[in-house]
Amino acid sequence: MVTRGRTDGTRPVAADGVPDAVGEDATGGEGSAAPVSVLRPVRAGNGFEETLEQVLQLLRLGLVPPGDRLPAERELAQHLGVSRVTLREVLKVLQDQGMVESRRGRYGGTFVLPRAAAADGSDELRRRVAAVDVEDTLRFREVLETGAAGLCADGLADGGAARLRAALEATQGARLEDYRRRDTLLHLTLAELSGSRSLAAQYASVRATLNELLDCIPLLVRNLEHSQQQHAAVVEAVLDRDAEAAREMMREHCAGTAALLRGFLA
Amino acid sequence: MVTRGRTDGTRPVAADGVPDAVGEDATGGEGSAAPVSVLRPVRAGNGFEETLEQVLQLLRLGLVPPGDRLPAERELAQHLGVSRVTLREVLKVLQDQGMVESRRGRYGGTFVLPRAAAADGSDELRRRVAAVDVEDTLRFREVLETGAAGLCADGLADGGAARLRAALEATQGARLEDYRRRDTLLHLTLAELSGSRSLAAQYASVRATLNELLDCIPLLVRNLEHSQQQHAAVVEAVLDRDAEAAREMMREHCAGTAALLRGFLA
DNA sequence: GGCTTAAGGTATGACAGAGAACCATTGATT
DNA sequence: AATCAATGGTTCTCTGTCATACCTTAAGCC
C-alpha cells in the first residue's frame, strides 16, 4: 500500500513506532517522520488505466447518456492528452464489456449502450467498487457539496440562477431510470457555479465514484421524493443568497445518502 | 490482451489540476453542450513536470524543513511512482536553482537549503505563480478547511486530539521565519484528521499553491497574532466537538487570509 | 451512380521513461 | 587501516506511448 514502511529497521532520523505524516517536533528539531505521505504517485497506474478512469467518469456521470455518441476518437484523445492508440485500447475494453458500441462510416462513432447490457460481469468493475474507500468518498463529497452550495449562495455568476433552476426542473420531471443522471447533473451544475474549477473537478471525480456505489444499492422511491424536496430547498436558499441555510440543507441532503450507503454497504 | 504490467497497484489519492479549454463542437443542440469539459488531461505535462510539482510541494509545505534531508532517491522515486532517472532530473534542476544540495556517501543525501539562497531568480518559479488562479485557490481552500474543521469536530480518531494540541502549540512558540511552516503543519494535521484521504491530499496541494502566493506578500505581525487567536479558537471548538463553531471560526480565518491576498495581488 | 466526408481501423518509426545493474563516495564501525 | 553500508552518480536495454500516415466503411450530396 501507500505508507511504505521500510523493511529493515534502519532509519537515519529517529521516527520509531507510528509514522504519522505530520507528526512534528517541537522547537525546530529535526525528525519529520514520513513527510512523503502527502506525495501522490505521478502516474497512478499507466496511461491506459488513467484514461479508462476518465472515460468511465464520463459515462458514470451521465454526461453522455445511453444512446448518445461519445466525442470522436481523435477529439476525445486530444482532450484527454493521450494518443489515439491508447484511447482506442480503452474503448476496446468498454466495447468488450458491452458498455459502448462502435459504428464506422460517416455519422458513425462510439455510442453509449443502456446500462442493462453492461451486465456487471466484469472483474474490472467489481474490483473497482471493492477498492473504493467508502468513508473517504462520503466525507469528501459532503465537504465539497456544502462548500459549493455556500459559495453559490455567496454570489452566482450571470446566468447561474437560470442554469440552476433549469437543472432543478429537469430532475423533477425525470422518470426513475433517468433520475440518477439528472440528479448528478444538478449537483455538477452547482459545483461548477461555485466559481472554483478545482472544486468542480474534484466533485466530478468523487461523484463518479459515488454513482458507482449507488449502483450497488436499490433505488427507493421514498428517498427519491425526499431528495427532491431537499434539492428544491437548497436551490431556494442559494437563490435567496442565504449561504448558511444552503450549506445546512445540503449537509442534510448528503447525510441522507451517506446513511443509506453506510447501511447497505456496511 | 491489454493487461499492462506495473508492479505496484497503488492508487491512494486523486489528482489535481484542471486545465481545459478547447473550443467545442456544438453541432446543433442535442442538449448537452460540452460533456468533455470535465475531462482532465491524463497527463498534465510530462513525467518530469509532474514530478517537479510534487517535490516542490514537499518543499513548499515545509514537510522537509531547510537543513533536513529528503528521502533517498530510490525511496522517493518509488513513492512518486517514477523512475529514479526522472526524479534525478528534477533534483538536478532544484540543485541548479539553489534550493537543494546533494551530498554523496553514506549519511549523504539531498538536503534542503534555506529559502534565502533560492533567490527567486528562476523563470520557472515566476511563471508558476503567474499561472495560479487565485480566486480558485482561495475558494477551494476555504471549502476544504471548513470541511476539515467540521469533520474533525464530528469526531477525532484516537490520538487526534493530542496531535492537534501539539501542532497548535508548535505554532505558538514559533519564530517569525518558522511561522509559515508551523502554520501549514497545523492545517495539514487538521486535514489529515478529517478522516478523508482525498481531502487531505487536495488540501496539501492547494496549500502548497497558497504558500507560494503568500511568499509574494509581506508577513505582518498583526495578522499573525490574529491568526494565532483564530487557530486557538478553531482547535478549541474541535475539541469541544462543536462542529458549527469550528466551521465558522475556520471560515473567518480563511476569509482573513483571502482578504489579505486579494488586497495585495489585485 | 459516383463523389465527398467524417468517422472508425491499422501499421510504423521515434522517443521518453522504467528498471536494473553497476560505479563512486563517504562516514561509521571494527 | 580495513571493511561495511547507504547513499548519490552513471549507463544500458526494453517497453509503452506518441505521432503520423494511410486504409476502410458508410451516409449524404451532386
Side-chain angles (χ1 to χ4, degrees), chain A residues 2-20:
Chain A
V2 191
T3 46
R4 52 178 345 206
R6 158 106 82 238
T7 40
D8 50 321
T10 51
R11 182 182 289 247
V13 247
D16 32 3
V18 196
D20 277 292

Side-chain angles (χ1 to χ4, degrees), chain A residues 1-4 6 10-13 20-32 35-51 53-55 57-58 61 63-65 68-69 71 75-76 78-82 86 89 92-93 96 128 131-133 135-137 139-140 142-144 146-148 151 154-155 181 188 192-199 201-202 204-205 244 247-248 251, chain B residues 2 4-6 10-25 30 32 35-43 45-47 50-51 53-55 57-58 61-69 71 75-76 78-82 107 133 135-137 139-140 142-144 146-148 151 154-155 163 170 173 178 181-182 185-186 188-189 192-199 201-202 204 244 247-248 251:
Chain A
M1 277 306 294
V2 191
T3 46
R4 52 178 345 206
R6 158 106 82 238
T10 51
R11 182 182 289 247
V13 247
D20 277 292
V22 199
E24 266 310 311
D25 50 288
T27 44
E30 320 307 321
S32 34
V36 247
S37 68
V38 300
L39 291 181
R40 150 185 79 88
V42 161
R43 310 204 123 111
N46 48 35
F48 168 79
E49 286 175 8
E50 288 191 59
T51 305
E53 194 69 30
Q54 290 297 303
V55 177
Q57 182 171 310
L58 215 50
L61 291 178
L63 290 173
V64 184
D68 265 27
R69 205 193 64 174
E75 190 188 346
L76 192 50
Q78 196 180 358
H79 276 325
L80 289 166
V82 95
T86 303
E89 285 176 13
K92 173 69 164 44
V93 170
D96 291 347
R128 193 174 288 281
V132 171
D133 180 341
E135 206 49 40
D136 175 30
T137 302
R139 290 182 184 210
F140 194 39
E142 183 187 304
V143 168
L144 295 180
T146 55
L151 286 173
D154 283 338
R181 185 171 158 260
L188 276 178
E192 206 179 313
L193 293 176
S194 73
S196 165
R197 297 177 74 92
S198 303
L199 195 161
Q202 289 303 311
S205 169
E244 192 47 43
R247 283 191 290 259
E248 213 43 62
R251 186 158 16 249
Chain B
V2 229
R4 287 18 220 285
R6 184 39 150 226
T10 64
R11 61 177 304 278
V13 285
D16 50 2
V18 187
D20 194 27
V22 186
E24 276 307 321
D25 49 321
E30 281 299 324
S32 48
V36 234
S37 66
V38 300
L39 290 181
R40 157 184 73 89
V42 160
R43 311 205 123 111
N46 49 31
E50 288 191 59
T51 306
E53 194 69 31
Q54 290 296 302
V55 177
Q57 182 171 311
L58 215 51
L61 291 177
L63 289 172
V64 185
D68 262 28
R69 205 194 65 174
E75 191 186 345
L76 192 50
Q78 196 179 356
H79 275 329
L80 289 166
V82 96
Y107 306 103
D133 181 341
E135 205 50 38
D136 175 29
T137 303
R139 290 183 183 209
F140 194 40
E142 183 187 304
V143 168
L144 295 179
T146 56
L151 286 173
D154 282 339
R163 284 184 58 193
D178 212 29
R181 184 172 158 261
R182 304 284 179 91
L185 291 175
L186 170 60
L188 277 177
T189 302
E192 203 180 317
L193 294 175
S194 73
S196 165
R197 297 176 76 92
S198 303
L199 196 162
Q202 289 302 311
E244 192 47 43
R247 282 192 291 258
E248 213 42 62
R251 186 156 18 246

Side-chain angles (χ1 to χ4, degrees), chain B residues 55-64 70 94 99-100 112:
Chain B
V55 177
L56 275 177
Q57 182 171 311
L58 215 51
L59 302 182
R60 290 197 294 247
L61 291 177
L63 289 172
V64 185
L70 289 172
L94 296 179
M99 301 178 71
V100 304
V112 180

Side-chain angles (χ1 to χ4, degrees), chain B residues 17 35 37 40 54 59 69 85 89 91 102 107 116 130 140 158 168 171 200 217 257 264:
Chain B
S37 66
R40 157 184 73 89
Q54 290 296 302
L59 302 182
R69 205 194 65 174
V85 180
E89 285 175 16
L91 295 180
S102 286
Y107 306 103
F140 194 40
D158 287 348
L168 176 63
T171 68
I217 70 172
T257 311
F264 271 101

